[in-house]
Amino acid sequence: MASYEIVGIHLKDKESNKERNITDVLLNDGTIEPVDLVVRYINSDIPYYFVSRNKIKAVIEDYYPQNKTPYIKTKHNQLLNGQSMLNLPRF
């Protein structure tokens, strides 16, 4: 099964430190995908990930807060030492 590596993020507020504010992601092949599409793909069992600074493959998961728009976030992993998609380059 194909998986997709996220290499960059776009936030609706450039100064944000919240993953819920990510609006688009940049994939390693240069494709830009909106978060709502990524949420649908993850919900259809298509995996997304990013590679942390210390070369750990971090899984991205979809999140459905009550009465709010779903978004994507970094799946908790102690090996990441607090790193998340917010550490990726921004575009």
Side-chain angles (χ1 to χ4, degrees):
M1 174 188 296
S3 62
Y4 296 94
E5 181 182 1
I6 296 173
V7 297
I9 59 170
H10 183 79
L11 295 138
K12 62 181 168 186
D13 174 5
K14 293 181 195 261
E15 302 302 317
S16 177
N17 63 353
K18 307 267 188 230
E19 288 182 313
R20 69 175 172 250
N21 290 326
I22 297 172
T23 60
D24 301 277
V25 298
L26 175 65
L27 303 180
N28 65 342
D29 68 357
T31 302
I32 296 173
E33 290 186 348
V35 163
D36 62 333
L37 182 62
V38 176
V39 166
R40 282 186 296 199
Y41 285 159
I42 291 171
N43 195 28
S44 297
D45 296 324
I46 297 172
Y48 282 75
Y49 68 95
F50 74 94
V51 178
S52 70
R53 288 187 304 252
N54 52 348
K55 307 299 183 215
I56 303 293
K57 187 175 181 179
V59 174
I60 304 304
E61 61 185 359
D62 52 347
Y63 183 69
Y64 293 83
Q66 186 174 2
N67 299 322
K68 295 187 179 178
T69 303
Y71 62 92
I72 57 175
K73 66 179 193 153
T74 306
K75 186 172 184 174
H76 178 72
N77 179 339
Q78 288 184 318
L79 296 175
L80 291 173
N81 295 321
Q83 293 181 64
S84 73
M85 282 185 291
L86 295 171
N87 296 105
L88 292 172
R90 299 180 183 196
F91 65 93

